Amino acid sequence: MVRGNGNLKNNTMTDRTFDILNAILMLLLIVVTIYPFYHVVMASLSDSNRLIAHQGMLLGPLGFSWEAYSRVLDNPNIFSGYRNTLLILFSGTLFNLFFTALGAYGLSRKFMLRKPIMIAIIFTMYFSGGLIPTYLLINNWLHMGNSLLALIVPVAISTWNLIIMRTSFEAIPESLIESAKIDGSGEFGILFKIVVPLSMPIIAVMILYYGVAHWNSWFNAMLFIRDRELFPLQIILREILVINDTSSMQLGDAMADQEGIRESIKYATIMVATLPILLVYPFLQKFFAKGVMIGAVKE
């Protein structure tokens, strides 16, 4: 009896110690994860001259100034970038969802060549045609170069997302689909009237995956787009952060002030380019965990 109480006490102390250490570790991870974003927010709101002279961590804005945001939002390149990115985001995501759902539904049904087709599809996850053949295909053969189609059509289906959606569709009872066929529904009717409405959690996950991918995509745009009017937002962001080109937002500044305002503009541009996609997460979060589990687990 005494030994039992002792073990219970020891277990309780061990559990409490574990919980405390676990909580401390989680808090450290949260701080390490959130602080870089917090630093960008505070730096973007700081006075540019005080920011450039500051060393070390930022716990709050150094002075308070909207000047960097004002210059970023007055830049016409930012608005053309937003316009192009939103166009790619909405049309591209719809394109992705349509073709991924078609492919996933077909592969979720049982037919003779399903296994070899799946092997061929999975093969593309590990091996591709290479950068130069891909460029020649899109630019010379499909004639999509210097158009937004080059940023949408070649990435119509993600193999990983196709497999997740196929697994989700396989969980729908076969008897339900057979009943629809008996009632005279065709394959498209079954897909868009029964399968897709029953799979909204995985559809929400796909919207998030494809939407974030389109929002962050820049390499294909750098490769295929030559007209500046067609640049997406991420290419404008790359010019500002990597090439350090903020000249269009610093007209009229004295040479001594340019370095300071350049840093503030970089931070403000990061916020302007990041904030919209962050605001989408809370609206899809309730579907996210359920959708990932449905698509990832097969019994």
Side-chain angles (χ1 to χ4, degrees), residues 162-176:
L162 176 70
I163 294 172
I164 292 176
M165 189 177 277
R166 185 208 64 168
T167 306
S168 174
F169 286 177
E170 284 179 340
I172 296 174
E174 186 68 26
S175 57
L176 190 61

Side-chain angles (χ1 to χ4, degrees), residues 35 38-40 42-44 46 51 54 56-62 267:
Y35 180 75
Y38 177 80
H39 180 93
V40 171
M42 293 301 108
S44 69
S46 296
L51 177 65
H54 179 76
M57 297 177 66
L58 275 179
L59 300 179
L62 301 171
Y267 289 118

Side-chain angles (χ1 to χ4, degrees), residues 16-32:
R16 287 179 178 173
T17 304
F18 174 79
D19 289 342
I20 292 171
L21 292 176
N22 194 32
I24 293 172
L25 179 62
M26 290 299 107
L27 285 173
L28 288 174
L29 287 175
I30 290 171
V31 170
V32 170

